[in-house]
Amino acid sequence: QAYRYRPISSATAVQESVATAFDLAELDVDEISCQVMDEEIALLSVAPGFHFTLHTYPALGYVAVDLYSFEQTDGIDKLD
């Protein structure tokens, strides 16, 4: 199925999109919280083993994502 672009319209739309992404990836989410500021919608999502933040700027049509994983994966060396 092709991805269809949808403009960022509200904090609710951002939360629903993130929840849908977790459902499609079959990941359990502990918490999704959202904060609306003048020109930014910031979302924090926490799940077992990782969390990420999503910063959206609707007027600019820009999204930034920070992703953090706490699980070691095969093929990735541990930093000393």
Side-chain angles (χ1 to χ4, degrees):
Q1 178 178 352
Y3 175 77
R4 196 185 96 195
Y5 169 76
R6 290 184 302 156
I8 301 163
S9 57
S10 68
T12 301
V14 173
Q15 285 183 287
E16 288 174 354
S17 295
V18 169
T20 298
F22 276 104
D23 286 344
L24 290 172
E26 298 179 356
L27 295 171
D28 295 324
V29 179
D30 292 333
E31 178 182 349
I32 296 178
S33 61
C34 196
Q35 181 177 6
V36 179
M37 294 164 270
D38 289 338
E39 297 181 18
E40 176 183 3
I41 300 170
L43 180 135
L44 171 65
S45 182
V46 179
F50 75 94
H51 69 270
F52 80 90
T53 55
L54 183 73
H55 303 271
T56 63
Y57 303 88
L60 300 174
Y62 179 79
V63 175
V65 178
D66 300 313
L67 176 63
Y68 302 93
S69 175
F70 309 116
E71 295 184 17
Q72 187 169 350
T73 307
D74 290 341
I76 298 176
D77 294 330
K78 182 179 174 183
L79 297 175
D80 292 322

